[in-house]
Amino acid sequence: MDGIAFLRAAHERNLTGGAKIVLLSSGYFPPIADCSIDRSIMKPVLRDDLLALLADLFHVVSSATKAEIEVPRGSSSKGLRILVAEDNPVNQKLAQRMLERSGYTVTVVSNGLEAISAFEQGEFALILMDGQMPEMDGLDAAKAIRRLELITGGHVPIIALTAQALNGDRERFLAAGMDDYISKPIQQRELFDSIERALSRTITESTK
């Protein structure tokens, strides 16, 4: 039974009891006459969007709903270009939305070969690289990018995205030339902490 069928059955049996109903949707849903839906929100659902929706729904204003999530903003991130190499559309959208809200310019590709091509064609401050992708995985793509840097010079930080952190993963990522890794599903605080560390190291190295 899908969500709409459940809501219809619940309304027919008067089971909702006046509860607020929020539809989680991957796409546009037209109004549904026989279902009382109070709000809808697009997936992937982000924390600040959900808090804002609930605050509006229940007419609540609190420090939690008004507070901005502390992420790098302003001149340090404004306009910096980040390459996201990830084959999952939901993860692509989630990472792009988080980064663009913080002022970064984002380019998204779906596999390692596309990541190498994008790296060759543009200048990026940082790369987020999924470990497992079709055509070429993230580790092989990172190795290829590091070989190219031996010719072009410079060092673009690469942060691995991994579905599950296993023993030995850190060593494998570092051996491939990556600078750090974070686990999926992507958590906003962990993402920006890793980016902050990587960019800070790059600035420090460039000023030596």
Side-chain angles (χ1 to χ4, degrees):
M1 177 183 288
D2 65 19
I4 300 301
F6 164 76
L7 289 177
R8 285 179 173 143
H11 282 298
E12 288 173 0
R13 293 166 174 79
N14 296 316
L15 299 178
T16 58
K20 302 294 185 183
I21 298 173
V22 177
L23 180 70
L24 306 180
S25 170
S26 297
Y28 171 72
F29 268 93
I32 303 169
D34 54 347
C35 289
S36 177
I37 296 172
D38 297 278
R39 296 285 193 281
S40 63
I41 187 169
M42 292 286 290
K43 296 188 293 186
V45 179
L46 299 183
R47 174 184 178 275
D48 49 347
D49 289 344
L50 180 59
L51 287 175
L53 181 147
L54 293 176
D56 180 60
L57 188 60
F58 292 104
H59 307 289
V60 172
V61 177
S62 68
S63 58
T65 59
K66 293 172 68 176
E68 286 282 327
I69 295 174
E70 296 178 3
V71 294
R73 295 181 184 274
S75 59
S76 62
S77 62
K78 189 69 172 178
L80 289 181
R81 299 184 65 202
I82 290 183
L83 175 63
V84 176
E86 163 67 60
D87 64 310
N88 184 288
V90 173
N91 289 331
Q92 287 177 353
K93 183 182 296 185
L94 179 62
Q96 183 172 9
R97 194 170 182 181
M98 287 181 180
L99 293 167
E100 288 181 343
R101 284 187 170 187
S102 191
Y104 294 102
T105 299
V106 181
T107 298
V108 178
V109 297
S110 298
N111 60 59
L113 292 177
E114 291 178 359
I116 296 169
S117 177
F119 172 80
E120 291 178 312
Q121 296 175 27
E123 294 184 3
F124 295 96
L126 184 138
I127 300 172
L128 295 177
M129 185 82 76
D130 184 20
Q132 296 183 330
M133 293 182 290
E135 304 293 335
M136 177 185 284
D137 67 24
L139 275 72
D140 287 339
K143 292 175 183 177
I145 288 172
R146 294 301 182 226
R147 288 194 295 268
L148 289 171
E149 287 179 335
L150 293 176
I151 301 171
T152 61
H155 178 93
V156 176
I158 300 176
I159 299 173
L161 304 175
T162 177
Q164 55 182 4
L166 303 175
N167 289 335
D169 273 354
R170 177 177 174 79
E171 290 72 21
R172 290 194 307 119
F173 294 144
L174 294 177
M178 296 180 172
D179 299 84
D180 199 358
Y181 73 93
I182 59 175
S183 299
K184 296 187 288 185
I186 300 170
Q187 301 297 317
Q188 185 162 258
R189 172 49 55 200
E190 185 182 11
L191 171 64
F192 284 109
D193 282 349
S194 181
I195 290 175
E196 184 76 11
R197 288 194 301 269
L199 294 181
S200 295
R201 284 195 299 267
T202 300
I203 293 172
T204 301
E205 291 296 326
S206 66
T207 55
K208 286 183 178 180

